[in-house]
Amino acid sequence: MSGTLYLVATPIGNLGDFSPRAKQALSEADFIAAEDTRVTLKLLNHFGIKKPLISYFEHNRATSGEKILSRLLSGESAALVTDAGTPAISDPGADLVALCAQSGVTIIAIPGACAAISALALSGLDTSRFAFEGFLNTTGRKRAERLKELSGEKRTLVLYEAPHKLVSTLSDLVSALGSDRRVALCRELTKLHEETVRTTLAGALERYTLEAPRGEFVLVIEGAPEKTTPEVSLERAKELVYSRREAGLSLKESARLISEETGYSKNELYNACLKERELP
Ligand code: SAM
């Protein structure tokens, strides 16, 4: 019978978050597969756990994954950990889980810290539906395409970002999603300098352009606003625009106000009125 693969979450800063069950899983596994064995060794030493470590990371996952699988199939049990947080979440591990699942190995999660979930809970934004994006592609066409897709996403967005890329990412988010979207920037969670800044995308860009971002960040961004279905006909909406015009407002201002009242886009109303009456 094959052994079990335990997915063991480790702290994202505060060692007090390491659960008794996680310690037990590491103590009882035959071996531990770790993203960076030096980082994991520190954790093991802190908790007095002695266990053989093997490395499983981005660039050896194919070969190391096969070795881990064959040991599991021969009856050994393994714990998979990453440098911090939940394995397989923006970390190596998802491939190993898929490989083991295909081979019928039992996989058990030992839950614990996950920066994305803590940040979402702290954000003050809608948590009922969210889209986890991990890290955006760094450059090029793929990044632009992804940002375009995200601009219409109605669920709350959760992104990871490194401090030295934060300003350029915020700048791209302002361009793609607009200035006014609310955002929570959760920094250094569970650590000494933990901080959550709740602002808008433009506010965040301004702040971190002036003050160099430090530490690890999760960005939680409000989803795209629901488009309201107009309850009045376009003809009626145009009449309302004309009546505002007669009251002395400009066409642009009238279209903006009636768009808010009716749900038609302000450009649609503006253009429809302009075309019909050739208004200035
Ligand atoms: N698997 C991890 C998890 O469960 O959260 C995520 C690993 S991912 C490689 C690392 C990213 O997670 C960082 O760049 C940062 O965006 C986020 N992160 C990790 N620890 C954090 C912390 N203490 N505070 C804020 N963000 C953190």
Side-chain angles (χ1 to χ4, degrees):
M1 203 181 129
S2 70
T4 300
L5 174 67
Y6 294 92
L7 309 177
V8 181
T10 55
I12 54 171
N14 191 322
L15 292 180
D17 293 335
F18 203 39
S19 74
R21 191 166 168 240
K23 284 175 219 161
Q24 189 184 352
L26 295 191
S27 306
E28 291 178 358
D30 290 309
F31 66 98
I32 298 171
E35 182 183 10
D36 183 335
T37 52
R38 291 161 304 180
V39 172
T40 301
L41 193 59
K42 278 192 202 152
L43 183 78
L44 296 184
N45 287 341
H46 182 87
F47 289 104
I49 301 168
K50 283 196 174 29
K51 206 47 69 172
L53 284 167
I54 72 164
S55 113
Y56 178 84
F57 67 107
E58 187 63 24
H59 301 293
N60 76 353
R61 58 190 168 159
T63 49
S64 184
E66 287 299 339
K67 283 184 200 151
I68 295 167
L69 176 63
S70 90
R71 289 179 69 171
L72 285 162
L73 291 175
S74 72
E76 288 188 83
S77 66
L80 174 70
V81 297
T82 60
D83 291 351
T86 301
I89 303 299
S90 283
D91 261 333
D95 287 354
L96 183 65
V97 173
L99 188 70
C100 292
Q102 273 165 17
S103 304
V105 171
T106 303
I107 308 165
I108 301 282
I110 312 283
C114 177
I117 296 299
S118 296
L120 179 68
L122 282 166
S123 67
L125 298 171
D126 181 7
T127 60
S128 59
R129 296 173 72 231
F130 66 94
F132 175 64
E133 278 294 319
F135 294 96
L136 282 177
N137 283 305
T138 42
T139 47
R141 197 162 47 89
K142 279 195 175 157
R143 180 174 173 99
E145 280 169 10
R146 179 51 60 94
L147 283 163
K148 196 170 166 209
E149 274 171 34
L150 292 183
S151 66
E153 174 58 67
K154 294 194 174 54
R155 293 171 294 177
T156 302
L157 296 167
V158 184
L159 270 76
Y160 285 158
E161 194 47 285
H164 63 284
K165 294 185 189 146
L166 184 71
V167 169
S168 76
T169 292
L170 286 170
S171 167
D172 289 350
L173 286 166
V174 166
S175 306
L177 275 55
S179 307
D180 299 336
R181 287 273 191 106
R182 291 186 295 155
V183 59
L185 298 104
C186 302
R187 180 173 89 83
E188 294 286 89
L189 292 170
T190 79
K191 301 184 194 176
L192 186 61
H193 298 293
E194 170 165 351
E195 179 183 44
T196 294
V197 173
R198 298 178 185 85
T199 177
T200 58
L201 284 175
L205 178 59
E206 191 184 339
R207 179 181 177 126
Y208 290 107
T209 303
L210 297 172
E211 162 197 321
R214 291 225 175 102
E216 302 196 88
F217 281 84
V218 183
L219 276 64
V220 186
I221 306 166
E222 177 179 39
E226 290 289 340
K227 283 204 179 86
T228 45
T229 318
E231 286 179 4
V232 297
S233 68
L234 183 59
E235 281 313 304
R236 175 68 190 136
K238 283 194 292 187
E239 280 168 20
L240 292 169
V241 175
Y242 299 138
S243 67
R244 292 295 168 103
R245 283 261 311 147
E246 279 157 23
L249 293 181
S250 70
L251 177 59
K252 200 171 164 191
E253 187 58 7
S254 307
R256 188 186 68 73
L257 287 172
I258 301 306
S259 101
E260 280 170 11
E261 280 175 29
T262 61
Y264 285 99
S265 102
K266 104 179 156 243
N267 287 343
E268 184 182 6
L269 280 178
Y270 179 87
N271 290 331
C273 294
L274 199 63
K275 200 167 148 196
E276 190 170 85
R277 297 207 180 168
E278 295 190 353
L279 292 167

PDB file of all heavy atoms in Angstrom, residues 7 40 44 73 77 107 117 143 179 205 240 247 277-278:
ATOM      1  N   LEU A   7       0.388  17.784   2.892  1.00  0.00           N
ATOM      2  CA  LEU A   7       0.688  19.158   2.451  1.00  0.00           C
ATOM      3  C   LEU A   7       0.655  20.028   3.706  1.00  0.00           C
ATOM      4  O   LEU A   7      -0.423  20.308   4.237  1.00  0.00           O
ATOM      5  CB  LEU A   7      -0.369  19.645   1.459  1.00  0.00           C
ATOM      6  CG  LEU A   7      -0.657  18.717   0.278  1.00  0.00           C
ATOM      7  CD1 LEU A   7      -1.770  19.297  -0.586  1.00  0.00           C
ATOM      8  CD2 LEU A   7       0.598  18.488  -0.542  1.00  0.00           C
ATOM      9  N   THR A  40      13.774  25.492   5.510  1.00  0.00           N
ATOM     10  CA  THR A  40      13.008  24.506   6.293  1.00  0.00           C
ATOM     11  C   THR A  40      13.834  23.974   7.459  1.00  0.00           C
ATOM     12  O   THR A  40      13.284  23.723   8.541  1.00  0.00           O
ATOM     13  CB  THR A  40      12.514  23.373   5.366  1.00  0.00           C
ATOM     14  OG1 THR A  40      11.714  23.976   4.353  1.00  0.00           O
ATOM     15  CG2 THR A  40      11.694  22.347   6.115  1.00  0.00           C
ATOM     16  N   LEU A  44      12.723  23.522  11.309  1.00  0.00           N
ATOM     17  CA  LEU A  44      12.814  22.235  12.011  1.00  0.00           C
ATOM     18  C   LEU A  44      13.669  22.383  13.267  1.00  0.00           C
ATOM     19  O   LEU A  44      13.308  21.872  14.331  1.00  0.00           O
ATOM     20  CB  LEU A  44      13.410  21.159  11.094  1.00  0.00           C
ATOM     21  CG  LEU A  44      12.595  20.790   9.854  1.00  0.00           C
ATOM     22  CD1 LEU A  44      13.260  19.646   9.100  1.00  0.00           C
ATOM     23  CD2 LEU A  44      11.168  20.402  10.202  1.00  0.00           C
ATOM     24  N   LEU A  73       5.039   5.479  -3.361  1.00  0.00           N
ATOM     25  CA  LEU A  73       4.432   4.227  -3.857  1.00  0.00           C
ATOM     26  C   LEU A  73       5.042   3.012  -3.159  1.00  0.00           C
ATOM     27  O   LEU A  73       4.401   1.964  -3.039  1.00  0.00           O
ATOM     28  CB  LEU A  73       4.593   4.114  -5.384  1.00  0.00           C
ATOM     29  CG  LEU A  73       3.762   5.115  -6.199  1.00  0.00           C
ATOM     30  CD1 LEU A  73       4.076   5.026  -7.689  1.00  0.00           C
ATOM     31  CD2 LEU A  73       2.258   4.905  -5.963  1.00  0.00           C
ATOM     32  N   SER A  77       5.919   7.751   3.835  1.00  0.00           N
ATOM     33  CA  SER A  77       5.051   8.938   3.858  1.00  0.00           C
ATOM     34  C   SER A  77       5.938  10.186   3.788  1.00  0.00           C
ATOM     35  O   SER A  77       7.065  10.164   4.276  1.00  0.00           O
ATOM     36  CB  SER A  77       4.190   8.970   5.114  1.00  0.00           C
ATOM     37  OG  SER A  77       5.009   9.148   6.237  1.00  0.00           O
ATOM     38  N   ILE A 107      -3.568  11.961  -0.326  1.00  0.00           N
ATOM     39  CA  ILE A 107      -2.992  13.289  -0.046  1.00  0.00           C
ATOM     40  C   ILE A 107      -3.841  13.948   1.033  1.00  0.00           C
ATOM     41  O   ILE A 107      -5.075  14.001   0.914  1.00  0.00           O
ATOM     42  CB  ILE A 107      -2.983  14.167  -1.319  1.00  0.00           C
ATOM     43  CG1 ILE A 107      -2.322  13.407  -2.482  1.00  0.00           C
ATOM     44  CG2 ILE A 107      -2.244  15.477  -1.075  1.00  0.00           C
ATOM     45  CD1 ILE A 107      -2.577  14.010  -3.840  1.00  0.00           C
ATOM     46  N   ILE A 117      -5.466  34.390   1.849  1.00  0.00           N
ATOM     47  CA  ILE A 117      -6.714  34.283   2.614  1.00  0.00           C
ATOM     48  C   ILE A 117      -6.719  35.265   3.786  1.00  0.00           C
ATOM     49  O   ILE A 117      -7.742  35.912   4.071  1.00  0.00           O
ATOM     50  CB  ILE A 117      -6.933  32.821   3.091  1.00  0.00           C
ATOM     51  CG1 ILE A 117      -7.105  31.898   1.870  1.00  0.00           C
ATOM     52  CG2 ILE A 117      -8.124  32.698   4.033  1.00  0.00           C
ATOM     53  CD1 ILE A 117      -8.302  32.228   0.985  1.00  0.00           C
ATOM     54  N   ARG A 143       1.007  40.038 -19.902  1.00  0.00           N
ATOM     55  CA  ARG A 143       0.608  40.891 -18.771  1.00  0.00           C
ATOM     56  C   ARG A 143      -0.528  41.818 -19.209  1.00  0.00           C
ATOM     57  O   ARG A 143      -1.527  41.967 -18.521  1.00  0.00           O
ATOM     58  CB  ARG A 143       1.814  41.702 -18.291  1.00  0.00           C
ATOM     59  CG  ARG A 143       1.508  42.633 -17.115  1.00  0.00           C
ATOM     60  CD  ARG A 143       2.803  43.259 -16.662  1.00  0.00           C
ATOM     61  NE  ARG A 143       2.677  44.284 -15.673  1.00  0.00           N
ATOM     62  CZ  ARG A 143       2.876  44.102 -14.370  1.00  0.00           C
ATOM     63  NH1 ARG A 143       3.147  42.919 -13.905  1.00  0.00           N
ATOM     64  NH2 ARG A 143       2.791  45.110 -13.525  1.00  0.00           N
ATOM     65  N   SER A 179      -8.815  54.513 -11.672  1.00  0.00           N
ATOM     66  CA  SER A 179      -8.198  55.070 -10.455  1.00  0.00           C
ATOM     67  C   SER A 179      -8.977  54.756  -9.192  1.00  0.00           C
ATOM     68  O   SER A 179      -8.420  54.706  -8.105  1.00  0.00           O
ATOM     69  CB  SER A 179      -8.143  56.591 -10.551  1.00  0.00           C
ATOM     70  OG  SER A 179      -7.538  56.978 -11.732  1.00  0.00           O
ATOM     71  N   LEU A 205      -1.053  54.122  -5.496  1.00  0.00           N
ATOM     72  CA  LEU A 205       0.057  54.474  -6.396  1.00  0.00           C
ATOM     73  C   LEU A 205       0.769  55.729  -5.868  1.00  0.00           C
ATOM     74  O   LEU A 205       2.000  55.777  -5.801  1.00  0.00           O
ATOM     75  CB  LEU A 205      -0.468  54.697  -7.823  1.00  0.00           C
ATOM     76  CG  LEU A 205       0.572  55.108  -8.851  1.00  0.00           C
ATOM     77  CD1 LEU A 205       1.678  54.074  -8.986  1.00  0.00           C
ATOM     78  CD2 LEU A 205      -0.086  55.320 -10.226  1.00  0.00           C
ATOM     79  N   LEU A 240     -35.150  62.815 -20.994  1.00  0.00           N
ATOM     80  CA  LEU A 240     -34.674  63.319 -19.695  1.00  0.00           C
ATOM     81  C   LEU A 240     -33.416  64.186 -19.880  1.00  0.00           C
ATOM     82  O   LEU A 240     -33.253  65.209 -19.206  1.00  0.00           O
ATOM     83  CB  LEU A 240     -34.374  62.147 -18.747  1.00  0.00           C
ATOM     84  CG  LEU A 240     -35.603  61.359 -18.283  1.00  0.00           C
ATOM     85  CD1 LEU A 240     -35.198  60.068 -17.571  1.00  0.00           C
ATOM     86  CD2 LEU A 240     -36.450  62.216 -17.333  1.00  0.00           C
ATOM     87  N   ALA A 247     -33.059  73.003 -18.770  1.00  0.00           N
ATOM     88  CA  ALA A 247     -32.879  73.639 -17.448  1.00  0.00           C
ATOM     89  C   ALA A 247     -31.542  74.356 -17.344  1.00  0.00           C
ATOM     90  O   ALA A 247     -31.200  74.916 -16.297  1.00  0.00           O
ATOM     91  CB  ALA A 247     -32.997  72.590 -16.353  1.00  0.00           C
ATOM     92  N   ARG A 277     -30.182  65.585 -32.509  1.00  0.00           N
ATOM     93  CA  ARG A 277     -30.517  67.016 -32.550  1.00  0.00           C
ATOM     94  C   ARG A 277     -29.352  67.923 -32.937  1.00  0.00           C
ATOM     95  O   ARG A 277     -29.494  69.141 -32.923  1.00  0.00           O
ATOM     96  CB  ARG A 277     -31.063  67.465 -31.196  1.00  0.00           C
ATOM     97  CG  ARG A 277     -32.341  66.767 -30.842  1.00  0.00           C
ATOM     98  CD  ARG A 277     -33.170  67.636 -29.932  1.00  0.00           C
ATOM     99  NE  ARG A 277     -34.391  66.951 -29.588  1.00  0.00           N
ATOM    100  CZ  ARG A 277     -35.219  67.337 -28.649  1.00  0.00           C
ATOM    101  NH1 ARG A 277     -34.934  68.410 -27.943  1.00  0.00           N
ATOM    102  NH2 ARG A 277     -36.337  66.686 -28.405  1.00  0.00           N
ATOM    103  N   GLU A 278     -28.196  67.291 -33.119  1.00  0.00           N
ATOM    104  CA  GLU A 278     -26.990  68.049 -33.435  1.00  0.00           C
ATOM    105  C   GLU A 278     -26.774  69.176 -32.412  1.00  0.00           C
ATOM    106  O   GLU A 278     -26.577  70.337 -32.772  1.00  0.00           O
ATOM    107  CB  GLU A 278     -27.030  68.582 -34.857  1.00  0.00           C
ATOM    108  CG  GLU A 278     -27.015  67.432 -35.839  1.00  0.00           C
ATOM    109  CD  GLU A 278     -26.815  67.876 -37.263  1.00  0.00           C
ATOM    110  OE1 GLU A 278     -26.816  69.076 -37.510  1.00  0.00           O
ATOM    111  OE2 GLU A 278     -26.640  66.999 -38.103  1.00  0.00           O
TER     112      GLU A 278
END
